[in-house]
Amino acid sequence: MYAITGITGKVGGALAKALIEAGEPVRAVLRDPAKAEIWRKRGCEIAFADMGDATQLAAAFKGATGVFILPPSEFDPAPGYPEAAKQNEVLTTALLAARPERVVCLSTIGADAEVDNLLSQRTKLEEALGELDLPVTFLRPGWFMENAVWDVASARDEGVLHSFLQPADKTFAMVATQDIGRLAADLIREQWIGKRVVELEGPARVSPNDLANAFASVLGHPVRVEIVPRANWEGLFRAQGSRNPQPRMRMLDGFNEGWIDFKAEGGNRARGKTPLERVIEALVRQAAASRTA
C-alpha cells in the first residue's frame, strides 16, 4: 500500500494515477472529506489527516510500503522559517511512529544552495528527514512548467509575458508536474537503503523567450517578453500582500545568477518527456474553460 499526501494536487495526482494504472494499491491521504469520493471511485483506500497533526499522519502512514510526502508550500514565510520547522517536526514524528518501509519526499532544485532563499525551507526539510533511520529519497525537480499559469491572462489578452526570470534568453531547468508524478511512482516502488537524491528536469531547458514562443504558438498571436526590473520586485510583492518578500527575491536571484541549479550530472539525474508547448496548451485550455464555466 502506498500512502500519498498531496494527492489532490498536480504532482500527487499524477503519482496516484501512475500507481493505480500499474495496479498498485493506493491510500489517499486527505484533509477534506468532500474530496474523498472521487478517489474511492478510483479504487483508493481513504485516510483523513491534517498535515499539521502528527497523530493523524502516523495513522494514515501506518502499514504503508511507501509514503509520498508533499509538504505544504509557504510562499511568504516568517523570518527564520518557523512554519517549515513546525511542519518538519510533525512529519518526523509521524514517520517515526508509523515506520513505513520507505519514503519519497518532494524537495526542489536549489535545496543544496548555500545562500538563504525561499527554497531553504526544503533544505531544512531534507535535513530533518535525513536524520530518520528510514530509507528516504529526496526528489528534486526543476522549476514547474505549470508556473506559467500566472502568465496566461497577460499572454492571451496583452500579448505580453512579464518575466522575473531573466535575461530573456537565459535557459532554466523546468519540468512538467506529470513527469514529476510519474518519476515519483517509479521511485517509490524501488528498493534502496539510506538516503538518496534524484534530480529531474524536462526534455530541454526553457528560457523566458521559449515560454513566450510557446504561448504564441498555442494562442495564435505574437507574445513578447517584458522583463520585470529587480528594483520593482519588492514593491510588487508587497502590493500582492507579501510581508517578507526577501526570501522570494533571493530565490529568483538564485535562478538568474545561476547558484540555484542542478550541479552534478550522472546517475542521480533524470529527464521528463513532456514538452513545454503541451503544458502551455493545457493551461490555456483550462483558463478558457474556467472563463466559460
Side-chain angles (χ1 to χ4, degrees):
M1 176 68 69
Y2 296 98
I4 311 300
T5 66
I7 198 168
T8 59
K10 291 184 179 295
V11 173
L15 163 59
K17 181 175 183 289
L19 289 174
I20 292 167
E21 289 177 349
E24 300 286 1
V26 171
R27 180 183 296 158
V29 181
L30 301 168
R31 182 179 59 180
D32 185 357
K35 298 180 179 179
E37 188 58 28
I38 186 173
W39 293 104
R40 284 197 183 96
K41 289 180 178 179
R42 294 174 182 175
C44 295
E45 180 182 318
I46 304 298
F48 293 109
D50 189 288
M51 289 297 288
D53 190 312
T55 301
Q56 291 179 3
L57 283 177
F61 297 161
K62 195 70 174 178
T65 302
V67 169
F68 178 71
I69 298 294
L70 199 164
S73 296
E74 179 58 63
F75 296 104
D76 188 30
Y81 313 114
E83 305 93 344
K86 183 177 180 180
Q87 181 66 77
N88 294 343
E89 182 179 358
V90 168
L91 287 171
T92 54
T93 299
L95 289 168
L96 284 173
R99 301 202 65 83
E101 293 182 22
R102 49 189 176 269
V103 178
V104 173
C105 177
L106 186 66
S107 185
T108 181
I109 186 174
D112 57 349
E114 297 179 1
V115 180
D116 185 76
N117 71 95
L118 190 66
L119 303 182
S120 297
Q121 295 173 94
R122 293 296 185 258
T123 308
K124 295 179 181 298
L125 174 67
E126 290 194 11
E127 291 172 350
L129 268 61
E131 295 180 358
L132 299 176
D133 60 338
L134 296 169
V136 181
T137 292
F138 297 107
L139 175 54
R140 294 180 183 170
W143 184 283
F144 289 9
M145 290 180 183
E146 283 81 0
N147 288 340
V149 68
W150 305 108
D151 303 311
V152 171
S154 63
R156 179 191 62 215
D157 301 337
E158 306 167 33
V160 175
L161 187 149
H162 302 281
S163 182
F164 293 92
L165 296 177
Q166 45 199 261
D169 60 352
K170 178 178 173 62
T171 58
F172 301 87
M174 297 191 186
V175 66
T177 52
Q178 65 178 347
D179 288 338
I180 304 171
R182 288 169 182 163
L183 179 58
D186 292 337
L187 295 174
I188 204 168
R189 288 178 288 175
E190 293 178 357
Q191 298 280 350
W192 73 93
I193 58 174
K195 309 300 180 291
R196 64 176 180 174
V197 172
V198 178
E199 301 169 338
L200 174 65
E201 61 179 294
R205 294 213 160 190
V206 177
S207 69
N209 284 339
D210 294 328
L211 281 167
N213 291 337
F215 272 113
S217 177
V218 171
L219 293 167
H221 62 70
V223 177
R224 59 185 173 83
V225 175
E226 281 192 5
I227 295 299
V228 181
R230 193 189 188 286
N232 297 351
W233 292 359
E234 182 168 358
L236 287 170
F237 295 157
R238 289 193 182 278
Q240 295 168 359
S242 177
R243 296 166 298 175
N244 183 29
Q246 286 300 319
R248 183 178 176 190
M249 293 169 63
R250 289 303 284 152
M251 177 192 72
L252 292 167
D253 287 338
F255 280 102
N256 295 336
E257 296 169 9
W259 48 266
I260 291 180
D261 202 348
F262 295 130
K263 297 184 172 59
E265 295 286 351
N268 68 334
R269 180 74 56 82
R271 285 192 177 272
K273 298 179 179 179
T274 305
L276 174 66
E277 190 166 317
R278 186 182 303 168
V279 173
I280 299 301
E281 183 178 12
L283 294 177
V284 170
R285 185 171 59 250
Q286 291 162 10
S290 67
R291 293 179 91 188
T292 58

